[in-house]
Amino acid sequence: MTNTEPRRRNRRGEGGKLREEIIAAAVALLDEGGDERAVTLRSVARKAGIAAPSIYAHFADQPSIMLAVVQQEMDRLAATLREADENAGTDPRQRLFAVCNAYLDVARAHPQRYRIMFGGLWTPSVDDTSISDADLESLGAEALTLLADVLGACVEAGIAHGSDDLYGDAVALWLGLHGLAHQRAVVRKMPGPADVGDRLIRALAHLR
């Protein structure tokens, strides 16, 4: 629903609050069933209850708003995975399944946000916007590191076959999880057994 309430102007020093409100407005537009095409400077300003030119003090263009949304959601993903790991105890197998299933749960709970976390129509040519290659390359690094940690713990415990490239193995596991998450999002009924997620994790982690 469009925000029609007049917005109280932020006091001096509250610019960070306005930035957060702009990001929240963009997320709300995504959650309402739209995609990144619904996130324009004008629609974000309307949702946040501000004048469109006010956005330029914090974001150079629409892709930079989307980048901030993705960075926020990646941080939330990492925090969710970290919490799942901490709650799983010390058993490496339980830690692995807890982290991987938490990843799949995030994708299921927020499909619109999840989709734009990994590209989509918003992803610009770096020549056309303020976004740099470094901005894009850093996305998801914390979550991937955690995935590599729990996978490495399984290898050290002797319950998974190791290789000389733990990072590459973690990337392969992530891509498998991503493929399953995407498939669940785009089909009405998933083919295969109900435990396909656990089978995927076991196979890609090379569990004994």
Side-chain angles (χ1 to χ4, degrees):
M1 184 173 63
T2 300
N3 182 4
T4 58
E5 292 291 328
R7 183 182 182 280
R8 180 185 64 81
R9 185 174 181 178
N10 284 330
R11 294 188 295 270
R12 186 183 300 275
E14 290 186 337
K17 180 180 178 182
L18 177 55
R19 185 180 190 278
E20 293 174 0
E21 291 172 353
I22 292 169
I23 296 171
V27 170
L29 289 167
L30 288 170
D31 286 348
E32 287 170 1
D35 58 26
E36 55 268 52
R37 287 173 294 189
V39 182
T40 66
L41 295 179
R42 183 172 296 177
S43 67
V44 169
R46 186 164 56 247
K47 175 65 74 173
I50 60 176
S54 300
I55 291 177
Y56 291 111
H58 303 278
F59 298 100
D61 47 26
Q62 187 266 4
S64 64
I65 296 176
M66 295 302 302
L67 176 65
V69 171
V70 171
Q71 289 171 332
Q72 173 181 278
E73 295 308 312
M74 285 292 188
D75 288 345
R76 287 178 175 171
L77 172 64
T80 299
L81 301 190
R82 191 163 54 247
E83 181 180 6
D85 183 30
E86 292 170 354
N87 291 337
T90 59
D91 180 80
R93 185 187 297 268
Q94 291 181 6
R95 290 177 61 201
L96 175 70
F97 277 90
V99 168
C100 290
N101 283 313
Y103 178 99
L104 294 172
D105 288 343
V106 167
R108 184 183 291 111
H110 300 289
Q112 301 288 3
R113 302 185 200 181
Y114 178 79
R115 182 176 54 78
I116 63 100
M117 287 165 66
F118 297 96
L121 299 175
W122 78 270
T123 308
S125 164
V126 293
D127 296 329
D128 298 333
T129 75
S130 59
I131 295 176
S132 69
D133 284 330
D135 291 327
L136 300 177
E137 290 168 0
S138 65
L139 295 174
E142 185 178 355
L144 179 58
T145 297
L146 179 56
L147 195 60
D149 286 346
V150 295
L151 182 58
C154 289
V155 173
E156 291 179 8
I159 62 174
H161 295 283
S163 76
D164 58 359
D165 184 9
L166 179 61
Y167 175 80
D169 292 341
V171 170
L173 176 56
W174 184 319
L175 291 175
L177 293 171
H178 176 67
L180 178 58
H182 173 75
Q183 190 68 10
R184 284 175 171 172
V186 299
V187 300
R188 292 183 59 186
K189 181 174 175 57
M190 273 290 297
D195 66 343
V196 65
D198 288 348
R199 295 187 186 209
L200 177 74
I201 295 166
R202 285 196 296 269
L204 291 176
H206 303 294
L207 293 181
R208 299 180 188 276

